[in-house]
Amino acid sequence: MPKDGGIGASTKRREDVRFLTGVGNYTDDININGQTYAYFLRSEVAHGKINSIDTSAAEAMEGVVKIFTSADFTAAGGIPCGWQVTDRFGQPMQEPKHPILAEGKVRHVGDPIAVVVAETLEQARDAAEAIELDIEELEPVLNMKDALKDGATKVHDDLTSNLCYDWGFVEDNREAVDQAIKNAAHVTTLELTNNRLVPNPMEPRVAVGQYSRANDEYTLYTTSQNPHVIRLLMGAFVLAIPEHKLRVVAPDVGGGFGSKIYHYAEEAFVTYASKVVNRPVKWTSSRSEAFISDAHGRDHVTKIELAMDENHMFTAVRTDTYANMGAYLSTFAPSIPTWLHGTLMAGNYTTPLIYVNVKAVFTNTVPVDAYRGAGRPEATFQLERVIDKAAREIGMDPAELRRRNFIKPEQFPYATPVAVEYDTGNYHATLDKVLEMTDYAGFDKRAAESKARGKLRGYGLAHFIEACGIAPSNLVGQLGARAGLYESATVRVNATGSISVFTGSHSHGQGHETTFAQVVSEMIGIDASQVDIVHGDTSKTPMGMGTYGSRSIAVGGSAMVRATEKIINKAKKIASHLLEAAEADIELKDGKFSVAGTDKSVDWASVTLAAYVPHNYPLENLEPGLEETAFYDPANFTYPSGAYVCEVEVDPDTGKVDILSFTTADDFGNVINPMIVAGQVHGGVAQGIGQALLENTVFDENGQLLTGSFMDYAMPRASDVPSFNVDHSCQTPCTHNPLGVKGCGEAGAIGSPPAVVNAVIDALQRGGFKVEHIDMPVSPSRVWAAMQQG
């Protein structure tokens, strides 16, 4: 059994004390003496030419400090994109400028046009209403396929078309895949949509800029998942501020799900404006504003084809996808439908030939970027839905068809045809586990009980694999990443033995302050309460890449391990001197250094004190202090996987879907804190259920967002989700990081949507309805309509 506070213990999250008692420090809690307030005037049309902006009346209003337009940013760069994709013809993607404030045109509802800075938020809002705009409304481009037709209106006049890139992967496989599909014994085809989602973290975005004339330094307080990256992008590419003059602080962050990874215009604005007005400038997003200013997720339309031989073995997969970029390229947007999606199309299976084509398209909609799972949910949904459809077409049990095509345990490490190599896994084990947990053999009896009550019961299975802990830097650099994807840690041991760990990873709900402390305390053998985790401030922490892509423990935790190993090695040198023994004979266990084979020992605190009071050891060989830094760049992604089962009841009279149970069997490798892992799965599954049954972003023909509030955008509520039954006992440790861990933060959102939809289709088909597919969200109206047609 794990000791209290160490690796493997379900230690309660220490940070929850301040969150639950209302003493957390979020960005909106930060108020600086003399601060002003910013209000963004945003476009009410999806596409239009700005003929004039008259701010004269607004400037004369009470409390107005200054009004800014694009003319104030002529020296600033555009918001940079962090990933360049090269198309299948060897050409770089089209990359239009993304200005801080709209220049000449507005390109989506919510595009910022002007900003009022005033003494109060109310005064800023009132003045914004007094700004007179002359905007010539243009035809919006909304449908991706229409956007690529000859003569289509262009979102960006300076581009050749609305096509960002036409990407093919693996291009050398294209002809072989076509031939395999042509010669297949059976081909299953499915057209589907990965619906556009609005992230909606609990805390809306906030940015506070502060400039100090005393030392010519800027500070930005912001709701960010990666403050160092914001400092790099904004300082180097947007505002030309030397990094040593720019501090970025992300205090407590109330959720992100990807939407707080990116550098946004509002961050650059408040930083710049604070110098111009010589006062702090604060902007707080409203919830309605977040719907039209935060990066959205998903929004893919796909045709997938699965070929099988006469033994029902998969021989080829071919997909054609249209991926919506929105009006501008968000920070990591180009990588989501390509390298984070196409490379996962092998799934858990031994399919020898795969070809993925993606056309990324500009439209007059809110920009789209990574949302929990980021490309992997899109790939998994395609694959697991087409496999389920194929099983029905050939009359085979869906579980058996998957099992027949699984990569076998003895085949690892397994090189897929889409350029990634899975190091470990046991997909048979997770499938067997979830079938056992859900009493698969007893489902027919449960279905009969539902039928007796006038309901249709369905059993939906999905398997998934995820590439996370995104890295290594040299690989992603070749694929177009414009940043390294390492992580860092500094471990500072205080004289009395307590420890401060400074990490480039940043928490927005994952429980880093608990799990990271568990790792360090386990290695040294001290209580976890003696370890403090410091993050979120670029002036304190070493350069790091932040938190996304389920990389925190696999990459950030590994950096801590490496730094702590350096600490232990130096501490052993000090202990060897104190114990008058050879360094090679010194052992560390349970916070005590001892000489192997003897009873001579010295405790941790005595060694750390000696490090800072070096009266008696040779300074020519051993310098004082006990502080070390490590940067960790992983050799590969980690590949968590799992089997998910959803059971539903469908009301045939109304189409309403009720989820009766949801069960997960995941392989996350070694687990640091089982309770936190379970919580991560719970949250991911809830979001996946939201996508599958409820959430959908809808624009009308004029580009107006019809689902712009919680009145119209259906977020899941407690009554929409069951109690989850989660398991992570099927562990195959990762082979290339020192902890043997795999990511767990996104898994629930990846495996759940196909499990839910598969369950609904299963229920309808058992009820005699010839329904093969319903696009998400599988709402009552869509289910009812499908039943009327089938």
Side-chain angles (χ1 to χ4, degrees):
M1 293 294 290
K3 69 177 186 297
D4 291 345
I7 291 176
S10 289
T11 305
K12 290 183 179 180
R13 297 181 3 148
R14 60 169 72 175
E15 48 267 74
D16 285 351
V17 174
R18 68 177 185 271
F19 297 152
L20 295 175
T21 57
V23 294
N25 182 38
Y26 295 89
T27 307
D28 196 47
D29 293 324
I30 296 171
N31 293 290
I32 304 169
N33 184 43
Q35 81 182 12
T36 58
Y37 295 82
Y39 183 85
F40 281 74
L41 176 64
R42 299 182 182 275
S43 176
E44 296 180 353
V45 300
H47 195 195
K49 178 183 176 183
I50 302 173
N51 292 323
S52 66
I53 305 173
D54 185 353
T55 62
S56 56
E59 288 170 341
M61 294 179 67
E62 181 182 359
V64 172
V65 176
K66 183 173 174 58
I67 298 177
F68 294 80
T69 66
S70 64
D72 294 289
F73 293 93
T74 54
I79 304 299
C81 179
W83 201 296
Q84 182 185 67
V85 167
T86 300
D87 71 14
R88 62 191 184 92
F89 306 106
Q91 299 300 310
M93 66 189 187
Q94 295 202 90
E95 189 172 358
K97 183 179 180 180
H98 185 177
I100 295 173
L101 297 177
E103 298 176 355
K105 286 179 67 175
V106 291
R107 295 181 172 87
H108 68 89
V109 171
D111 210 356
I113 301 170
V115 190
V116 179
V117 174
E119 299 292 346
T120 70
L121 179 59
E122 292 74 16
Q123 290 171 333
R125 185 185 297 114
D126 289 345
E129 292 179 358
I131 296 175
E132 295 185 9
L133 298 175
D134 179 4
I135 296 180
E136 178 185 342
E137 193 165 355
L138 304 173
E139 179 185 0
V141 181
L142 303 170
N143 180 279
M144 287 186 282
K145 293 182 181 180
D146 289 344
L148 298 184
K149 291 179 179 178
D150 290 340
T153 301
K154 288 192 289 186
V155 177
H156 295 273
D157 297 334
D158 55 332
L159 302 187
T160 60
S161 70
N162 292 317
L163 181 67
C164 179
Y165 55 76
D166 182 350
W167 184 78
F169 188 70
V170 174
E171 193 64 25
D172 290 345
N173 286 350
R174 186 171 190 154
E175 291 185 6
V177 169
D178 292 346
Q179 194 63 37
I181 290 175
K182 181 179 179 181
N183 297 334
H186 183 88
V187 177
T188 297
T189 302
L190 183 61
E191 296 188 24
L192 49 80
T193 297
N194 269 283
N195 41 323
R196 180 185 281 235
L197 304 174
V198 178
N200 283 314
M202 186 177 294
E203 176 201 29
R205 288 191 298 114
V206 184
V208 184
Q210 182 181 22
Y211 175 71
S212 171
R213 290 197 181 277
N215 51 18
D216 190 32
E217 289 183 354
Y218 301 78
T219 300
L220 168 67
Y221 301 93
T222 183
T223 47
S224 176
Q225 296 175 218
N226 50 1
H228 277 284
V229 173
I230 301 305
R231 184 181 71 161
L232 173 63
L233 295 178
M234 186 173 72
F237 301 104
V238 185
L239 299 180
I241 301 171
E243 279 191 88
H244 69 290
K245 292 293 185 180
L246 175 58
R247 176 190 179 201
V248 176
V249 181
D252 290 331
V253 175
F257 315 120
S259 70
K260 293 175 183 174
I261 298 172
Y262 324 117
H263 177 36
Y264 287 97
E266 294 87 357
E267 294 168 320
F269 173 79
V270 298
T271 305
Y272 172 84
S274 67
K275 180 176 183 179
V276 175
V277 303
N278 196 27
R279 292 171 63 183
V281 178
K282 181 176 185 176
W283 169 77
T284 300
S285 174
S286 67
R287 182 62 66 181
S288 295
E289 193 174 13
F291 270 87
I292 54 175
S293 63
D294 291 4
H296 292 177
R298 315 287 193 249
D299 206 351
H300 291 186
V301 176
T302 299
K303 176 183 178 182
I304 180 170
E305 297 165 281
L306 172 65
M308 292 183 285
D309 65 17
E310 61 278 3
N311 297 315
H312 308 314
M313 298 297 294
F314 303 160
T315 59
V317 167
R318 181 171 63 199
T319 72
D320 290 284
T321 292
Y322 291 84
N324 203 336
M325 294 289 99
Y328 303 101
L329 291 178
S330 182
T331 305
F332 290 114
S335 69
I336 309 307
T338 52
W339 300 111
L340 297 183
H341 158 246
T343 52
L344 266 294
M345 284 309 303
N348 310 85
Y349 311 104
T350 57
T351 313
L353 291 168
I354 298 173
Y355 181 73
V356 179
N357 179 241
V358 177
K359 295 179 177 64
V361 186
F362 292 111
T363 63
N364 291 117
T365 60
V366 178
V368 177
D369 209 317
Y371 172 69
R372 196 171 192 168
R376 288 89 87 197
E378 294 91 318
T380 300
F381 186 71
Q382 297 169 36
L383 198 54
E384 292 302 299
R385 281 293 299 121
V386 79
I387 290 172
D388 234 52
K389 185 171 184 279
R392 299 185 192 286
E393 290 176 350
I394 64 176
M396 180 179 284
D397 180 273
E400 178 56 32
L401 181 59
R402 288 174 170 85
R403 189 191 307 276
R404 180 171 300 198
N405 285 278
F406 276 160
I407 301 163
K408 297 178 175 61
E410 61 270 20
Q411 291 178 279
F412 290 96
Y414 182 82
T416 75
V418 279
V420 293
E421 181 175 282
Y422 306 157
D423 60 333
T424 61
N426 189 336
Y427 312 141
H428 297 77
T430 50
L431 177 59
D432 291 343
K433 185 69 176 181
V434 82
L435 296 179
E436 173 194 337
M437 292 169 68
T438 56
D439 184 20
Y440 189 39
F443 176 76
D444 287 342
K445 180 179 178 180
R446 297 193 296 277
E449 292 171 350
S450 294
K451 185 176 181 180
R453 291 184 284 103
K455 300 293 178 69
L456 307 177
R457 194 178 188 111
Y459 185 99
L461 170 68
H463 228 284
F464 79 92
I465 188 166
E466 177 189 4
C468 58
I470 184 169
S473 293
N474 58 2
L475 172 61
V476 298
Q478 295 172 33
L479 304 182
R482 289 166 169 165
L485 292 175
Y486 53 83
E487 199 44 79
S488 63
T490 294
V491 177
R492 178 182 299 162
V493 183
N494 302 307
T496 54
S498 62
I499 298 173
S500 296
V501 180
F502 302 86
T503 173
S505 296
H506 184 54
S507 176
H508 49 281
Q510 293 86 350
H512 291 175
E513 294 171 35
T514 301
T515 52
F516 287 170
Q518 287 179 256
V519 171
V520 175
S521 70
E522 173 83 12
M523 293 181 68
I524 295 173
I526 59 175
D527 193 272
S529 64
Q530 295 298 298
V531 182
D532 186 35
I533 306 299
V534 181
H535 55 92
D537 187 339
T538 61
S539 68
K540 296 179 179 179
T541 60
M543 177 72 177
M545 290 295 105
T547 296
Y548 46 85
S550 298
R551 70 193 305 269
S552 298
I553 195 64
V555 187
S558 293
M560 287 182 196
V561 169
R562 295 298 186 228
T564 304
E565 287 173 343
K566 292 181 181 181
I567 290 289
I568 292 171
N569 289 337
K570 183 173 180 181
K572 284 183 176 181
K573 294 179 188 296
I574 299 172
S576 71
H577 178 74
L578 297 176
L579 295 169
E580 299 180 327
E583 182 186 337
D585 293 333
I586 301 297
E587 297 175 341
L588 172 62
K589 184 178 181 181
D590 296 332
K592 182 178 291 186
F593 294 91
S594 60
V595 180
T598 76
D599 60 358
K600 294 175 63 178
S601 66
V602 60
D603 63 24
W604 170 256
S606 296
V607 171
T608 61
L609 182 62
Y612 292 95
V613 187
H615 291 168
N616 299 313
Y617 64 77
L619 296 179
E620 66 275 12
N621 299 322
L622 195 59
E623 66 182 23
L626 202 51
E627 179 174 327
E628 299 288 348
T629 295
F631 286 77
Y632 177 79
D633 202 320
N636 195 356
F637 298 89
T638 69
Y639 298 98
S641 61
Y644 286 11
V645 166
C646 177
E647 284 197 29
V648 303
E649 276 187 345
V650 178
D651 186 331
D653 295 326
T654 65
K656 186 177 186 297
V657 177
D658 290 313
I659 297 181
L660 304 178
S661 64
F662 202 103
T663 306
T664 73
D666 289 293
D667 174 7
F668 295 132
N670 295 332
V671 171
I672 305 300
N673 187 314
M675 181 193 70
I676 287 179
V677 168
Q680 287 285 299
V681 175
H682 288 178
V685 171
Q687 286 183 274
I689 288 172
Q691 177 176 9
L693 295 183
L694 299 161
E695 298 181 53
N696 196 29
T697 308
V698 180
F699 296 91
D700 71 8
E701 65 276 8
N702 298 310
Q704 295 294 329
L705 182 62
L706 299 182
T707 50
S709 74
F710 291 158
M711 293 292 289
D712 306 295
Y713 186 90
M715 293 282 285
R717 295 170 292 184
S719 59
D720 295 312
V721 296
S723 294
F724 305 123
N725 186 13
V726 305
D727 176 86
H728 41 258
S729 64
C730 302
Q731 298 177 2
T732 61
C734 177
T735 60
H736 55 77
N737 67 56
L739 291 167
V741 294
K742 304 177 182 181
C744 69
E746 298 166 294
I750 296 170
S752 52
V756 173
V757 177
N758 286 345
V760 173
I761 300 302
D762 182 62
L764 297 181
Q765 294 212 350
R766 288 174 183 269
F769 297 96
K770 297 178 181 179
V771 178
E772 295 183 338
H773 180 70
I774 303 173
D775 272 327
M776 298 184 290
V778 185
S779 60
S781 61
R782 290 185 176 187
V783 174
W784 187 87
M787 287 190 293
Q788 306 317 302
Q789 296 173 3

